[in-house]
Structure formats: structure tokens, C-alpha cells
Amino acid sequence: MNEENIDGTNGCSKVRTGTQNEAALLALMEKTGYNMVQENGQRKFGGPPPGWEGPPPPRGCEVFVGKIPRDMYEDELVPVFERAGKIYEFRLMMEFSGENRGYAFVMYTTKEEAQLAIRILNNYEIRPGKFIGVCVSLDNCRLFIGAIPKEKKKEEILDEMKKVTEGVVDVIVYPSATDKTKNRGFAFVEYESHRAAAMARRKLIPGTFQLWGHTIQVDWADPEKEVDEETMQRVKVLYVRNLMISTTEETIKAEFNKFKPGAVERVKKLRDYAFVHFFNREDAVAAMSVMNGKCIDGASIEVTLAKPVNKENTWRQHLNGQISPNSENLIVFANKEESHPKTLGKLPTLPARLNGQHSPSPPEVERCTYPFYPGTKLTPISMYSLKSNHFNSAVMHLDYYCNKNNWAPPEYYLYSTTSQDGKVLLVYKIVIPAIANGSQSYFMPDKLCTTLEDAKELAAQFTLLHLGPF
């Protein structure tokens, strides 16, 4: 162990107590042959391991570990994570005081080992009553660039980004939902490495940088979700992007049934994208190959396999662009019907009919009050443990709907205008982050209300009618 490493471990040994001490770390290094260096607020064990030849492991080989006890260190952690496979590098985030910061990154030599670590160590009881969380970690190589002139083409944006930043690999631009000749006012820029993306973000982030005379918005993009191959082999749902808003579910179903009549089970369309469910996976894969790039109602569509929700990994972690795949802005679908509310409740103060559609209602729960006697035993519960027919409000229904699908809560944005007689009229726009997919899709009713409560309720009802059960 070189002098730099000795300094790093000695710096922590001064504040350690119990079994976590310099001798334990030295013994671990001697036993494994791994090197250890502390720098920039983290302590690296390995990276590469002894005898390693060739490039580092590819993306998808690293896992994020959270909820680590603050007085636990490598001599306890490394043996636990070695159960899943060979560790390429273990990075423990450190406080200046010498305690760890409660999380670490473990890079394995293969993706299979990383997936095994998630399966066997997520929610693992690392100490009595102390459970760690483990999920896949991705080095984010993609930036979101907003406030781009909508008339700019992909080639123009790519050329401009290459001029002002280094390491640009590609630019992803989506056409407008209403005018396919224009972009949506934003783009995703892919870089050759996380470092290149971070340097570009540092250069562009101050908010004064301009492209074509426009001050742009810059932030980390939510990375595409990594789903293990075994799970993807069972997927029989296609995600269809770049549809015309006017295109109906019936048209989509008819188009996808052309290559094999009766192959499509159902279609769910939201704004300018849709999920096409097939009875058989083989038909879904064949349809993807046939339909990708085809035109429907004048729009060239993109077709990919939908990526399912991994319900075990419902938490995420952001750190300098290191993001777990459970970002809310991901394409998601549910395989089980029971994960969605089947019916929606009536709204007592609003019309039950919107845009020609009726909101179906479940058997109503009796609405009355009962006496609350002293000594009555009360049990704490979550509202999400109730059934949907316990909710009378569309706002509550929508929150319940999102929670049941492991989605982030709906976001409400209030707008106002003034009527001819001087009344203030209100309307809410609702964004569901989990299904927005970067397209800025939203739900807004075509009616205005005079009270805040009615505006919010109407917007929630309108959103639920358009979401419907998948």
C-alpha cells in the first residue's frame, strides 16, 4: 500500500471505533490484493482489481447501494457484495469526519453479477434492523437541452452542439405532436462518456449560454431504463411513438393487425404515443420489425418493445448525474390488469359527461357518519391500502391511480383568464411525469371554472377519462 493510501486510511482511523479501523482495512487489502485510494470525497477499492487486463466493464455492471450504516466500512461491506460475483471497483462515499455518507457504488465485472447483486442483496439485513437498498446505477451520458427554436432540424442542432461542446455522439429530437415539421423545443444530447456530459453541463449550465440567440435550459436527462434480458424476453407490448394526435386507437389496432389479423389484444393511446398489447410475444416482435418506420395518418412512427416497471426498485438516487433507472420520466406499462383501478367514481358537483364520454362508477360506498366512542381502537393505515371505491374525489382517484402504477404523483399547474363580464376563470393543466416521456404531454379540460376546487376536480376527472384502465 503506497503512502497516499496509508494517509487515506489513517485519516479515517482517528475517528473510527469498534471493528472499523485501519488494521481491518489493511487486512482486507492484504487478503484481496486490491488497492485502496481516497480522493474527492470517496474511497475507491479496486478499479481495476489485481491482474485485470482490458477496458473497464460496460454500462449496466454497476449497482447503487443505499441506506448503509454510517459506521460500516469496506471490511464488512466487500465480503457481502462479493457473494454476487467479482468486484471490479467498490466506491464508498465519505464524509470529512471519517464516517461514510450512507451510500456506495459497486461495479462488477459482468451485468449478470450486477443483476444477481440486486436480486439477493436489495433489502438485505446488513445489521440487525438495518436493511440496505440495491439497484442498478447508470453513468448518465445524456443532457436535456430546452428552449431550442422549434424550426431547427436534428442536423442543425447536432452541428451546433458539436461546436460548443466536446464528445457529442448523437442528438435525439422529437417532432411536435401538432406539427411534424417542427421539433418540440427541446433535444437530448448524447455524449461519449459521463465525464464529457458533465463537462458540457458545467459549461452550459450557468443559464447565460445561447444557441441561435436563445438562452437554453440545460440539465441531466433521465436515462433510459435498463431492464434485464430475462424480463424483456417476456414482453409482448409495443411502445409506438410519433403518432398524430388525431389518430385513433381503432386505426392503430387495424394497422398493426394487417400483418396478422387478430394478433392485437388491445391498444391504449395517450396523446401522440400508444401501447399496443399482443396476445403472443412472437407476434409483437414480428410487428415491431414490420411496423417500425411505417406511416400512419401521414406520420412516420417509431416502434420498440415497451419496458416494464420493476416494482422492486421503486426508489431512486441522484448524485452528479449518477441516476438509478427508476426515473419517473420512463416509458412504463403494467402487465397485470389489477394494478389499475377498473372504474372511476362520480364527481358530485361536476357534470358526469365530458367530451362525449361517461365516467363509469363503481358500487358506491355508503356515505354517512358514525359516532366515535371514547376508547375505540384505531389502526393507522395508508390511503393506498383502500379500494378505489372509497374515494369520491377525482383528485384522490388520480393520486391513487398513479400510486398503484408506481408513478410519481400528478403535477397540477394553474392558469386563469377573465370572462367578458369580468369573472376570473380557472383551469388546471395536469402532467403525469411517468407517461410524459419527455414529450411535455399534458391533460387540460376544455372548460373553465369559477372556483379553484372545481377547476382541480374537473382537470383530474378529464385526466382519468383519458387515461382509463389499461
Side-chain angles (χ1 to χ4, degrees):
M1 186 169 68
N2 60 34
E3 186 173 342
E4 178 186 6
N5 298 342
I6 293 174
D7 290 342
T9 53
N10 281 340
C12 293
S13 65
K14 293 176 184 177
V15 295
R16 287 187 192 151
T17 59
T19 60
Q20 300 299 331
N21 53 38
E22 179 186 358
L25 294 180
L26 289 170
L28 175 68
M29 295 168 65
E30 185 176 346
K31 176 184 176 182
T32 61
Y34 280 64
N35 202 5
M36 187 182 291
V37 177
Q38 182 164 331
E39 58 184 8
N40 300 326
Q42 62 181 340
R43 195 158 59 208
K44 295 182 180 180
F45 174 82
W52 180 270
E53 295 182 2
R59 292 185 74 194
C61 293
E62 187 174 69
V63 299
F64 168 78
V65 186
K67 299 186 286 185
I68 300 172
R70 296 297 184 100
D71 60 348
M72 180 173 279
Y73 301 96
E74 292 88 346
D75 56 301
E76 286 186 81
L77 293 167
V78 167
V80 172
F81 284 88
E82 281 181 331
R83 298 176 191 175
K86 185 177 178 62
I87 293 175
Y88 176 84
E89 179 182 73
F90 189 105
R91 294 186 290 127
L92 183 63
M93 303 299 118
M94 301 297 295
E95 297 281 12
F96 181 75
S97 65
E99 286 189 326
N100 77 63
R101 296 172 65 184
Y103 64 96
F105 296 90
V106 186
M107 181 178 290
Y108 289 93
T109 57
T110 67
K111 291 183 179 180
E112 291 73 22
E113 291 170 334
Q115 290 296 325
L116 179 59
I118 293 169
R119 286 199 298 272
I120 67 175
L121 297 175
N122 187 34
N123 293 321
Y124 175 77
E125 191 172 14
I126 195 103
R127 280 185 182 168
K130 302 292 184 181
F131 297 85
I132 58 173
V134 182
C135 67
V136 71
S137 167
L138 296 178
D139 280 336
N140 203 354
C141 299
R142 184 178 294 182
L143 294 182
F144 168 85
I145 310 293
I148 291 175
K150 293 187 177 182
E151 69 275 5
K152 297 298 179 182
K153 305 298 182 186
K154 174 178 177 175
E155 294 74 19
E156 296 176 275
I157 299 171
L158 180 61
D159 289 343
E160 194 68 18
M161 293 308 299
K162 284 184 174 180
K163 288 178 186 176
V164 298
T165 60
E166 297 181 3
V168 176
V169 174
D170 193 18
V171 168
I172 301 168
V173 182
Y174 297 121
S176 167
T178 54
D179 184 351
K180 298 300 180 184
T181 65
K182 296 182 178 180
N183 71 62
R184 298 188 181 186
F186 64 88
F188 297 101
V189 184
E190 189 80 22
Y191 289 85
E192 63 187 12
S193 66
H194 173 68
R195 176 176 173 78
M199 295 300 291
R201 180 176 178 270
R202 185 177 300 177
K203 180 178 181 180
L204 302 174
I205 201 67
T208 57
F209 200 91
Q210 293 191 340
L211 292 179
W212 304 290
H214 292 251
T215 300
I216 59 171
Q217 302 167 358
V218 181
D219 207 344
W220 289 108
D222 288 330
E224 290 188 31
K225 186 180 183 184
E226 290 283 328
V227 180
D228 65 273
E229 196 163 334
E230 183 181 347
T231 300
M232 289 304 294
Q233 288 297 324
R234 298 194 297 268
V235 173
K236 53 182 181 179
V237 181
L238 297 182
Y239 172 70
V240 184
R241 189 204 304 269
N242 199 33
L243 291 160
M244 300 294 290
I245 290 182
S246 58
T247 299
T248 64
E249 292 178 352
E250 291 73 21
T251 298
I252 298 168
K253 186 172 184 178
E255 289 292 331
F256 277 81
N257 265 331
K258 281 183 178 178
F259 89 102
K260 184 178 179 181
V264 177
E265 179 185 359
R266 65 187 186 279
V267 174
K268 181 62 189 178
K269 180 174 183 281
L270 298 105
R271 197 164 168 79
D272 62 339
Y273 60 95
F275 295 97
V276 182
H277 296 248
F278 285 79
F279 289 104
N280 299 307
R281 173 179 166 79
E282 293 74 18
D283 293 336
V285 173
M288 177 176 65
S289 176
V290 171
M291 296 299 295
N292 188 37
K294 295 285 186 180
C295 281
I296 296 181
D297 291 342
S300 178
I301 62 172
E302 296 177 28
V303 185
T304 58
L305 285 170
K307 295 183 178 180
V309 171
N310 182 349
K311 293 187 178 181
E312 292 181 359
N313 294 335
T314 57
W315 54 281
R316 62 177 182 161
Q317 190 272 344
H318 290 252
L319 176 71
N320 297 330
Q322 302 264 11
I323 306 179
S324 82
N326 267 348
S327 168
E328 279 85 0
N329 292 331
L330 294 173
I331 305 163
V332 293
F333 72 96
N335 287 321
K336 296 184 179 180
E337 289 289 342
E338 56 268 27
S339 66
H340 302 269
K342 289 287 191 293
T343 51
L344 310 175
K346 292 180 181 177
L347 301 179
T349 60
L350 296 171
R353 185 176 179 86
L354 283 174
N355 295 333
Q357 300 183 61
H358 286 283
S359 174
S361 58
E364 293 192 2
V365 173
E366 181 185 27
R367 298 185 67 189
C368 59
T369 60
Y370 289 83
F372 181 25
Y373 297 111
T376 301
K377 184 179 180 181
L378 298 177
T379 303
I381 66 168
S382 165
M383 62 170 277
Y384 302 115
S385 67
L386 300 172
K387 294 184 178 180
S388 60
N389 61 0
H390 284 94
F391 304 112
N392 191 57
S393 157
V395 173
M396 297 300 293
H397 265 296
L398 183 57
D399 189 69
Y400 179 86
Y401 188 106
C402 291
N403 179 270
K404 286 296 181 183
N405 287 290
N406 290 331
W407 294 351
E411 298 174 358
Y412 291 80
Y413 299 90
L414 182 64
Y415 298 87
S416 71
T417 187
T418 305
S419 67
Q420 292 181 345
D421 58 357
K423 289 182 180 178
V424 175
L425 302 178
L426 306 170
V427 65
Y428 271 98
K429 177 177 77 174
I430 296 180
V431 174
I432 310 292
I435 62 175
N437 191 37
S439 65
Q440 298 180 335
S441 59
Y442 59 87
F443 303 91
M444 182 182 283
D446 57 0
K447 293 180 176 61
L448 302 164
C449 298
T450 55
T451 69
L452 194 67
E453 293 83 355
D454 283 354
K456 196 168 187 177
E457 196 73 352
L458 181 66
Q461 185 186 40
F462 179 86
T463 303
L464 285 164
L465 287 169
H466 281 73
L467 288 174
F470 282 6

